[in-house]
Amino acid sequence: MFIFCLSILGEPLYALTPQQKRARAKAKMERKKEAQRRKAKRKRIKENKLLLYVYSFDQKTGDKLPATHIAVQDIAARPNKKPKINKPTDSKRARVYRTLPAGRYWATAAKIGYFTSDTLFFDHKHDEDSIAIALYPETRITFTVTDSLTARPVVANIVVRNNEGHKILQTTSDSLHARIAALLDDRIPFYTIDATAVDYYPFHDTIIPAVDFPGVVMNPKEIKSFVLHKIYFAMGKTHILDSSEPALNELFRFLTLRPNQRIRIVGHTDNIGSDRSNQVLSEGRCKEVKQAMVNRGILPERIEIEGRGESDPILPNTSEENRQLNRRVEIVLL
């Protein structure tokens, strides 16, 4: 059976629905675009301007990586010449594209949080060539550098090497936070870390990227005493302020880690007030610090106290800054 569709001048005699009209218009537009693409392709090939697509992806997960900076250059280009492609991948397809003459090129990719890609060499000889560049994610770890006695930050020289002994990080920890950040590659089985500081024994340990690193703990050489910093008292009183909790916890941690260590708490004041009142004040403050440790579970016989008042300043009491340093609590190891 044959079915005929009557039409006049190529148009059907029956009326089209709105959906059919839109579908016809869309198909016509697609045919027009395809014709334009074929024409543009023939022109590119004739002019030796071949289209190149460059994609980037996560080597570990296979995911596309938008906002990856791509650089493509002719291998014959002189050094320091601006790359042929030098821009980030788009957010939709994680790619960049450009027309380039046929030839041999190199390409690299870089993105925050990833190691810079290896240089990829390739031949560009067809229109609409495409290459994909893999980037491997960094493993970021942070750790502290602290004193084993006081848990306070230590200024130390830090060197991290990979399993082949190549140096990947060299830095200095600061005295405020002593926090270091390192970028590791979890494809490498282990790293080594070394730390050196004045008046401390050298530190050496191994870092495994997939395992938490507890940090660098420096052991001091023959320490006999240290100042308990950031311990605050009410003005002219023995009452310990709440802001001193971190310092008290620091001392408690020190005594807990060394259950056989005995200490003497020595209190010092500035020269404001009489000798007698400063002596009583320094003794009272030492008693309060001792009681704080006893309340936390430290045996009282491990702690002696000594108030020295204003008799042992470390600086002349000629300014408020000096007097503030003279008002201190010192821990002497017995």
Side-chain angles (χ1 to χ4, degrees), residues 145 152-157 172-176 178 196-198 200 218:
V145 184
R152 294 188 62 79
V154 174
V155 177
N157 295 317
T172 302
S173 61
D174 62 77
S175 59
L176 182 60
T196 55
V198 177
Y200 287 87
M218 306 292 292

Side-chain angles (χ1 to χ4, degrees), residues 143 158-161 166-171 180-183 193:
F143 57 88
I158 308 295
V159 177
V160 179
R161 294 181 173 86
H166 299 304
K167 189 184 300 181
I168 67 160
L169 173 67
Q170 182 170 1
T171 187
I180 303 295
L183 300 176
I193 180 169

Side-chain angles (χ1 to χ4, degrees), residues 110-124:
K111 181 178 175 65
I112 295 175
Y114 289 80
F115 293 102
T116 302
S117 72
D118 295 330
T119 301
L120 176 65
F121 295 92
F122 63 97
D123 291 314
H124 178 39

Side-chain angles (χ1 to χ4, degrees), residues 264-299:
R264 178 183 297 118
I265 301 174
V266 182
H268 302 269
T269 69
D270 56 28
N271 66 343
I272 296 178
S274 66
D275 292 348
R276 176 60 183 167
S277 63
N278 285 333
Q279 180 65 31
V280 172
L281 182 62
S282 63
E283 290 177 1
R285 288 178 172 177
C286 291
K287 290 178 182 178
E288 288 292 319
V289 175
K290 177 178 179 178
Q291 190 59 48
M293 294 300 101
V294 173
N295 292 344
R296 283 166 166 78
I298 302 299
L299 296 176

Side-chain angles (χ1 to χ4, degrees), residues 116-137:
T116 302
S117 72
D118 295 330
T119 301
L120 176 65
F121 295 92
F122 63 97
D123 291 314
H124 178 39
K125 54 187 178 182
H126 303 102
D127 189 55
E128 298 190 29
D129 278 339
S130 65
I131 61 171
I133 305 179
L135 291 96
Y136 199 84

Side-chain angles (χ1 to χ4, degrees), residues 3-8 10-18 20-21 24:
I3 298 176
F4 294 93
C5 178
L6 298 178
S7 64
I8 297 176
E11 295 296 329
L13 294 177
Y14 56 85
L16 297 175
T17 65
Q20 290 173 322
K21 289 181 179 179
R24 285 195 170 199

Side-chain angles (χ1 to χ4, degrees), residues 147-151 223 226 248-259 261-263 298 302 331-333:
D147 187 300
S148 63
L149 295 177
T150 65
I223 185 170
F226 59 89
L248 294 174
N249 291 335
E250 181 180 295
L251 179 57
F252 174 67
R253 177 178 178 274
F254 166 73
L255 293 171
T256 302
L257 292 174
R258 294 160 181 79
Q261 181 69 61
R262 295 175 59 251
I263 64 170
I298 302 299
R302 292 179 58 191
I331 307 300
V332 178
L333 308 189

